[in-house]
Amino acid sequence: MRSLFICPNCGGSLEKEGNSFYCRNRHCFDMAKQGYINLLQSNQSSRKHHGDDRMMVKSRRDFLEKGFYAGLRDRLCDDIMHCVDKPSVLVDAGCGEGYYTRAVTQSLKSKGALSAAGGIDISKDAVAYASKAGGEIQYAVASVFDIPLKDETADIVLNIFAPYATDEFFRILKPGGLLVIAYPLENHLLELKQAVYDEAYKNDSIPSVPDGFRQISSREVRQTLCFESNDDIVNLFRMTPYYYKTGADDQKKLENLKTLETSFEVGIMYCKKQV
Ligand SMILES: [Zn+2]
C-alpha cells in the first residue's frame, strides 16, 4: 500500500512493508499502534512546545463529542458537498483529533465523492486520537508549514481553526482545488473571555484571500452556546489558544462557574486555487 504522504527527507513515495513505510532511499517510518506515521523531522520536533498536549486534546475531544460545535461541522459538510463534483482527495491541514476530518470524509464517501483522505497535525497526541477513531483516513504527525505531500495532490484542503500556511496550501492543491478556512470572528467566545480576563480582547479581523486563490463563497455561523456544567466550560477554555497564555489566578475564575452563555461566531471562507 502506498501512503498519501511522502518521505520528509527525500520527497519519495512511501510504501508499506510490515508495520513501517519506506521510501526508495530506505528512509523508514514506523507506524504507531494507532495507525499514524510520524513525519516530523527532528529539527521541527525540537521545539519546546509543539502542538496540543494530551490534556488539551482530551478536553477538546470530550467537548466536541457533546456536539457543541456540530452546527459548524454540519455546515462545512453541506457546503463542501455543493462544491464537489468528482471523487476527491481531502487533506485536513491542522486536523487536531479529526473531528471535522471524519465528518467531511464521511459525507464525501456517502456521495461517492471520496478518493482518499489524509490529516496532519503537529500534535502527536491529537493525531494518535484521530487515528484511533479511524474512518479510512491516513494520518501523519507533520507541520502545516511543511506538509509531506507532493505538489498538486489535494482536491480539498481544510484549515479549521489551525495555523495558515497559504503557500503550502497552494502547493499541495490541484489547480481549481478548494481551500476551506474556518476562523473565529470578532466576538467568538467573548463572554468566556470576559469571565476570565479583566479586559477581554476581541479577535482579529478576517483573514484575506490568499495569493493565487479566488474566493467563491463565504459564510458566517453564529449561535449562542449554553453550558450548564463546569466541565464543559473548562474544556472549552482549554481548547482555546488563550489557555496557555493565562495565569493561574485568571484560570481559577473558571473553577466556580457553573453556567455560561457565550457567542459562537465563526467565519468560513471557500476559495479555489486559480488555474
Ligand atoms: Zn526518503
Side-chain angles (χ1 to χ4, degrees), residues 242-266:
Y242 327 117
Y243 174 64
Y244 280 107
K245 300 173 199 156
T246 304
D249 285 350
D250 280 339
Q251 286 189 30
K252 269 208 160 69
K253 292 182 195 163
L254 283 183
E255 276 177 13
N256 298 313
L257 200 58
K258 297 278 183 280
T259 62
L260 176 74
E261 281 194 9
T262 191
S263 317
F264 177 96
E265 297 191 0
V266 172

Side-chain angles (χ1 to χ4, degrees), residues 6-14 22-29:
I6 54 172
C7 173
N9 299 320
C10 69
S13 302
L14 293 172
Y22 291 88
C23 71
R24 62 184 180 275
N25 293 317
R26 301 306 285 172
H27 297 129
C28 173
F29 303 91

Side-chain angles (χ1 to χ4, degrees), residues 41-96:
Q41 290 175 292
S42 53
N43 62 334
Q44 296 171 307
S45 59
S46 63
R47 282 183 223 159
K48 186 165 159 276
H49 174 73
H50 59 92
D52 304 332
D53 70 16
R54 193 167 297 174
M55 188 198 66
M56 204 168 168
V57 169
K58 184 180 183 308
S59 293
R60 193 160 54 198
R61 185 188 72 197
D62 291 349
F63 181 89
L64 291 171
E65 278 175 357
K66 290 193 171 181
F68 294 118
Y69 278 20
L72 172 64
R73 179 197 64 195
D74 296 346
R75 192 73 265 162
L76 284 165
C77 289
D78 283 357
D79 286 349
I80 291 168
M81 290 317 300
H82 279 109
C83 296
V84 170
D85 54 9
K86 62 176 188 330
S88 297
V89 175
L90 170 75
V91 173
D92 192 349
C95 64

Side-chain angles (χ1 to χ4, degrees), residues 127-166:
V127 169
Y129 177 77
S131 198
K132 207 169 159 186
E136 296 177 48
I137 301 158
Q138 299 180 45
Y139 286 103
V141 181
S143 164
V144 296
F145 296 100
D146 190 10
I147 301 176
L149 286 171
K150 286 202 166 87
D151 297 355
E152 303 188 356
T153 298
D155 296 283
I156 307 166
V157 169
L158 294 184
N159 183 238
I160 313 298
F161 302 131
Y164 307 128
T166 49

